[in-house]
Amino acid sequence: MTAQESPKDDAPKCPVDHSTFKHFLPKDAMPEGHPPVPTMTSNGEPAKCPVSPEAHKHFMPRNTSTSQPSDTQPSSSSPSPSSTSSSTSTLRIDPTNNMPATPDQFRIASQTRDLNTEREMSTIPKAANAADPYNEKGAGNHAADPDGDSDSVWIYPSEQMFFNAMKRKNWNPREEDMKFVVPIHNMVNEMAWKHILKWEKNMENTCGGPKLVKFEGKPKEITPKARIRSWMGYTLPFDRHDWVVDRCGKQVTYIIDFYSGQPDPRYPEAPSFYLDVRPKLTAEGAWERFKKFMFD
């Protein structure tokens, strides 16, 4: 006589064994008189799992489901306004400078010391006729700056802003280096603007001089000129920017290749830079380059 096999229960079972949780709690973790966690219903059926598999998402930071700027960037692509969901908290990036629209001056969790949040005023005029990058209809003036520098000059990032930006770009900055890196960054940008003013001095300008509309970093996009120079034995630039300048309502683009320069024998520890600044190779830009080559 053979025993009959009991029918198999194909119903899905709760993955949580409710009778084992007590082994992972310290003694007396449950208050006295706490009711036991039931494993069976009053009908003798297994109790259903009280935990929804979807519940965990409500305890996660809201921006974990969206990609942060990969500033990789240094690539300079920026999310469009429509890419930011109203139910998702994301860091909105201003395409005019590839920085947060609201200055990111908050200390991050991994910091070991406080950083300076003061910002230095540049000498670079800020264009007021650039379209608001967050206006869906493309109308209106430049996005209002939280620091009140619209229609005046650009303001350089603070040490804290610079540190946070490098972290967003997956670099590994050190807090103690920021007091040196930020002044160098500002100095190099001032050099770039002086080179642009040399190009612009021969242009007809009756509206107060050129103003910077926006800038874009393209370190991985090697210009043809830099590539040809590398074939001749020169090093490639360590960075490249495209600066869009407003010339009495007309926007023109300048290409800037950043090179490490020869050290000054008098100050061998001081950083040295060489900037190759020229108009973008359009028909007008080619003509300006030719005139400079022939007559300067």
Side-chain angles (χ1 to χ4, degrees):
M1 183 175 179
T2 60
Q4 292 184 350
E5 295 182 359
S6 61
K8 294 183 178 180
D9 185 4
D10 294 331
K13 295 182 179 180
C14 177
V16 179
D17 183 354
H18 300 284
S19 64
T20 60
F21 78 99
K22 59 185 178 181
H23 301 295
F24 299 94
L25 294 175
K27 291 184 178 180
D28 301 328
M30 299 294 288
E32 184 177 356
H34 190 282
V37 178
T39 58
M40 303 290 290
T41 66
S42 58
N43 297 329
E45 298 178 357
K48 293 183 179 180
C49 180
V51 180
S52 169
E54 301 296 325
H56 77 282
K57 65 181 180 182
H58 301 295
F59 300 92
M60 302 295 289
R62 288 188 174 185
N63 60 353
T64 55
S65 60
T66 59
S67 58
Q68 291 293 331
S70 145
D71 275 0
T72 45
Q73 283 186 153
S75 107
S76 43
S77 59
S78 304
S80 64
S82 59
S83 66
T84 303
S85 169
S86 59
S87 62
T88 304
S89 175
T90 57
L91 192 62
R92 194 171 66 170
I93 302 298
D94 184 347
T96 62
N97 58 7
N98 203 31
M99 294 290 286
T102 301
D104 183 11
Q105 295 273 37
F106 296 100
R107 173 174 174 154
I108 61 179
S110 61
Q111 273 184 237
T112 59
R113 65 178 70 180
D114 290 333
L115 292 173
N116 195 337
T117 58
E118 295 181 3
R119 303 176 65 188
E120 180 182 346
M121 303 284 287
S122 78
T123 64
I124 305 173
K126 188 174 189 179
N129 63 346
D132 182 348
Y134 303 112
N135 189 317
E136 294 181 359
K137 297 181 180 180
N141 289 334
H142 191 282
D145 191 288
D147 297 303
D149 67 331
S150 59
D151 301 349
S152 55
V153 296
W154 289 83
I155 302 180
Y156 290 123
S158 66
E159 292 179 8
Q160 185 67 66
M161 293 171 64
F162 206 95
F163 182 83
N164 292 352
M166 295 183 73
K167 282 289 188 180
R168 287 195 304 273
K169 298 175 184 182
N170 296 320
W171 295 343
N172 190 25
R174 300 190 308 171
E175 292 92 329
E176 57 269 28
D177 293 337
M178 292 300 102
K179 63 181 179 180
F180 305 109
V181 172
V182 172
I184 292 173
H185 165 269
N186 300 351
M187 178 266 294
V188 171
N189 279 277
E190 293 292 328
M191 289 173 56
W193 185 246
K194 288 181 180 179
H195 281 289
I196 289 176
L197 291 180
K198 290 180 181 179
W199 283 96
E200 289 286 316
K201 68 179 180 180
N202 296 324
M203 305 297 175
E204 183 178 354
N205 196 314
T206 59
C207 54
K211 298 178 177 62
L212 181 61
V213 177
K214 65 177 181 178
F215 52 90
E216 188 176 10
K218 298 181 178 180
K220 296 183 179 180
E221 297 184 25
I222 308 300
T223 62
K225 181 178 180 180
R227 183 68 68 187
I228 293 173
R229 284 171 53 91
S230 71
W231 295 340
M232 299 170 62
Y234 293 93
T235 59
L236 289 171
F238 64 82
D239 200 2
R240 169 198 168 173
H241 280 189
D242 288 10
W243 287 25
V244 179
V245 173
D246 178 88
R247 184 192 299 154
C248 293
K250 179 181 180 179
Q251 293 190 359
V252 293
T253 301
Y254 283 89
I255 309 298
I256 308 172
D257 282 328
F258 297 86
Y259 296 88
S260 297
Q262 294 294 331
D264 189 333
R266 298 171 298 176
Y267 310 100
E269 296 85 8
S272 177
F273 301 95
Y274 168 71
L275 275 60
D276 186 2
V277 183
R278 68 272 187 198
K280 187 176 181 180
L281 199 58
T282 60
E284 180 181 15
W287 173 241
E288 295 301 328
R289 292 192 194 188
F290 175 76
K291 289 193 299 182
K292 185 176 181 62
F293 176 78
M294 293 297 296
F295 304 112
D296 282 2

